[in-house]
């Protein structure tokens, strides 16, 4: 994992300091890209493939990968601004990113809502896609909901992740300010905020007509974000490659599987109902400790275990991810790796697009059915589309219209 010297994170512009890593870690983009494909599969409505994503076999899921890797990427993108330009300019750089994510959230909502309304207006379906996405309140009484949408006091179902990400980003200047006192101050603040969030005290309202909260409480999830941030900044040393740690991580992941997913519970029950009953009776930690809203402790432990195994498997700087040899298999893997990494590099554009297109891909499954062949076809269409978006976004970011001279 790439690290930088933590000697000074707020050096004046006139002081010569070691520059932070300017290139992204291959492992960061690879695993973030994998998360983007999983997130697409998970959000296609009634997608049979979603029964086999990692979330069905453990406490954590692709959301944890997205948030953790976002913290690592932010350490490169924004941490460098704090390092080279000071706290004020670093905060300004973070504010600019918040501005971009905010409008991505607003645009995603209105585009998706428009698509659902157009489907209902078409008269082609005997179901309401507006109701299926729980948007009937918005269309029935749009004036207060538009105000709520722009002030983040109305966070509809399905549009939860970006608001959480916005608040976590907004906490970065605070955390970087505390870092001037020492890493212990930042770490303690993050842990204390997370602990208070577990009590429900910091819950944010998601809609005015009910007591529903934000599905992702940013004050809980910030712990994971700043863990990734601290790893990439070098404030937390990379763990050693140890057989003891490897087996501990494997055992935790494997042994927690029956408690991390009701799908596995059903398998256990089919094998031996008495064992399933014993598990339910003797394992109380299937509630708040695995809660997704406040980011329960078991989710944190499960993800760190998976992250450690992924870090070991990938090797130093992702060396084991690279193909060996020049055969057909190596060439195919290199092409697949290029695609996954590109998707990971353009994660915001890919995420926003995938959330919008996933609903439309679900409509195709409603039309064609959910037998294996149409399900395969629809998911592959989705993979091709988000890959195209990643390469298109990268092309635009390269400013090809500028002179290369």
């Amino acid at each position: 994992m790439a690290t930088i010297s933590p000697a000074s994170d707020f050096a004046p512009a006139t002081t010569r300091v070691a520059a932070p890593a300017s290139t992204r870690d291959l492992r960061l983009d690879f695993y973030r890209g994998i998360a983007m494909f999983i997130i697409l599969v998970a959000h296609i409505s009634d997608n049979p493939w979603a029964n086999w994503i990692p979330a069905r076999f453990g406490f954590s899921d692709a959301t944890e990968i997205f948030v953790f890797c976002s913290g690592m990427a932010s350490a490169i993108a924004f941490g460098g601004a704090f390092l080279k330009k000071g706290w004020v300019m670093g905060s300004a750089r973070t504010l600019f990113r918040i501005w971009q994510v905010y409008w991505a959230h607003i645009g995603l909502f209105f585009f998706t809502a428009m698509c659902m309304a157009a489907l209902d207006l078409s008269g082609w379906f005997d179901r309401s896609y507006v109701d299926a996405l729980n948007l009937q309140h918005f269309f029935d009484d749009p004036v207060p909901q538009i105000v709520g949408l722009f002030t983040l006091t109305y966070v509809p179902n399905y549009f939860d992740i970006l608001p959480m990400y916005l608040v976590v980003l907004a906490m970065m200047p605070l955390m970087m300010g505390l870092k001037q006192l020492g890493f212990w101050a930042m770490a303690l603040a993050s842990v204390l905020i997370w602990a208070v969030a577990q009590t429900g005290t910091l819950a944010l309202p998601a809609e005015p007509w009910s007591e529903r909260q934000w599905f992702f409480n940013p004050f809980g999830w910030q712990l994971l974000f700043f863990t990734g941030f601290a790893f990439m900044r070098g404030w937390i040393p990379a763990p050693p490659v140890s057989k003891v740690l490897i087996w501990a991580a494997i055992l935790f992941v494997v042994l927690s599987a029956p408690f991390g997913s009701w799908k596995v519970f059903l398998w256990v029950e089919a094998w031996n109902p008495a064992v399933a009953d014993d598990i339910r009776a003797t394992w109380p930690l299937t509630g708040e400790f695995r809660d997704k809203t406040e980011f329960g402790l078991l989710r944190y432990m499960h993800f760190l275990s998976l992250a450690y195994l992924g870090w070991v498997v990938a090797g130093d700087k992702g060396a084991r991810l690279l193909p060996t040899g020049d055969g057909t298999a190596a060439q195919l893997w290199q092409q697949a790796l290029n695609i996954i990494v590109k998707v990971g590099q353009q994660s915001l554009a890919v995420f926003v697009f995938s959330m919008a297109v996933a609903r439309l891909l679900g409509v195709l499954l409603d039309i064609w059915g959910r037998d294996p062949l149409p399900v395969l076809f629809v998911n592959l269409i989705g993979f091709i589309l988000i890959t195209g978006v990643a390469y298109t976004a990268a092309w635009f970011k390269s400013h090809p219209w500028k002179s290369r001279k």
Side-chain angles (χ1 to χ4, degrees), residues 153 200 203-215 293-294:
T153 55
L204 299 173
E207 55 195 20
W209 58 84
S210 76
E211 296 182 356
R212 186 173 68 85
Q213 307 168 5
W214 283 25
F215 186 69
T293 293
E294 272 80 30

Side-chain angles (χ1 to χ4, degrees), residues 281-300:
T282 59
W283 188 259
L285 301 182
T286 55
E288 62 271 17
F289 288 96
R290 65 185 292 267
D291 183 69
K292 192 169 186 175
T293 293
E294 272 80 30
F295 186 57
L297 180 61
L298 287 176
R299 301 187 71 90
Y300 190 52

Side-chain angles (χ1 to χ4, degrees), residues 214-234:
W214 283 25
F215 186 69
F216 296 104
N217 186 334
F219 302 109
W221 282 83
Q222 56 79 28
L223 177 66
L224 184 61
F225 178 91
F226 288 112
T227 299
F229 191 98
F231 267 118
M232 186 57 79
R233 295 298 297 171

Side-chain angles (χ1 to χ4, degrees), residues 146-170:
I146 288 178
V147 174
L149 184 73
F150 277 80
T151 58
L152 299 183
T153 55
Y154 171 48
V155 179
N157 299 105
Y158 192 78
F159 303 94
D160 317 275
I161 294 182
L162 291 183
M164 176 265 286
Y165 185 40
L166 282 169
V167 176
V168 173
L169 284 175

Side-chain angles (χ1 to χ4, degrees), residues 2 37 125 129 163 168 201 214 220 235 238 241 285 325-326 364 373 402:
F37 285 101
F125 306 95
Y129 285 98
V168 173
T201 304
W214 283 25
W235 300 337
V241 178
L285 301 182
D326 55 2
L364 291 181
L373 188 58
K402 290 186 177 180

Side-chain angles (χ1 to χ4, degrees), residues 31-251:
Y31 288 118
R32 208 177 189 189
I34 292 293
M36 291 300 101
F37 285 101
I38 296 173
I39 287 173
L40 172 67
V41 169
H43 286 88
I44 297 175
S45 55
D46 299 321
N47 184 4
W49 280 20
N51 292 326
W52 302 98
I53 61 177
R56 302 296 179 259
F57 304 95
F59 297 117
S60 66
D61 56 32
T63 309
E64 276 82 359
I65 304 176
F66 177 78
V67 173
F68 183 80
C69 290
S70 294
M72 296 179 72
S74 295
I76 300 173
F78 312 132
F82 281 97
L83 174 66
K84 293 184 290 186
K85 298 295 185 179
W87 187 86
V88 173
M89 287 296 101
S91 298
R93 175 68 181 90
T94 304
L95 182 62
F96 180 67
R97 185 57 167 177
I98 291 172
W99 177 256
Q100 292 175 314
V101 176
Y102 175 80
W103 286 110
H105 168 65
I106 298 297
L108 171 63
F109 173 81
F110 277 106
F111 177 81
T112 306
M114 179 277 297
C115 289
M116 299 303 100
L119 289 169
D120 283 5
L121 287 173
S122 70
W124 297 340
F125 306 95
D126 57 0
R127 57 175 297 186
S128 170
Y129 285 98
V130 167
D131 290 350
L133 206 51
N134 197 27
L135 295 179
Q136 64 272 25
H137 291 283
F138 176 81
F139 286 100
D140 290 343
D141 192 15
V143 174
Q145 309 325 329
I146 288 178
V147 174
L149 184 73
F150 277 80
T151 58
L152 299 183
T153 55
Y154 171 48
V155 179
N157 299 105
Y158 192 78
F159 303 94
D160 317 275
I161 294 182
L162 291 183
M164 176 265 286
Y165 185 40
L166 282 169
V167 176
V168 173
L169 284 175
M171 296 176 66
M172 192 181 300
L174 168 65
M175 293 299 182
M176 296 300 283
L178 289 172
K179 175 60 175 60
Q180 296 184 75
L181 301 176
F183 174 65
W184 62 268
M186 174 186 169
L188 181 61
S190 181
V191 171
L192 287 177
I193 292 171
W194 171 83
V196 175
Q198 303 310 298
T199 68
T201 304
L202 300 178
L204 299 173
E207 55 195 20
W209 58 84
S210 76
E211 296 182 356
R212 186 173 68 85
Q213 307 168 5
W214 283 25
F215 186 69
F216 296 104
N217 186 334
F219 302 109
W221 282 83
Q222 56 79 28
L223 177 66
L224 184 61
F225 178 91
F226 288 112
T227 299
F229 191 98
F231 267 118
M232 186 57 79
R233 295 298 297 171
W235 300 337
I236 300 176
V241 178
S242 160
K243 289 184 178 180
V244 173
L245 289 177
I246 291 173
W247 278 108
I250 291 174
L251 287 174

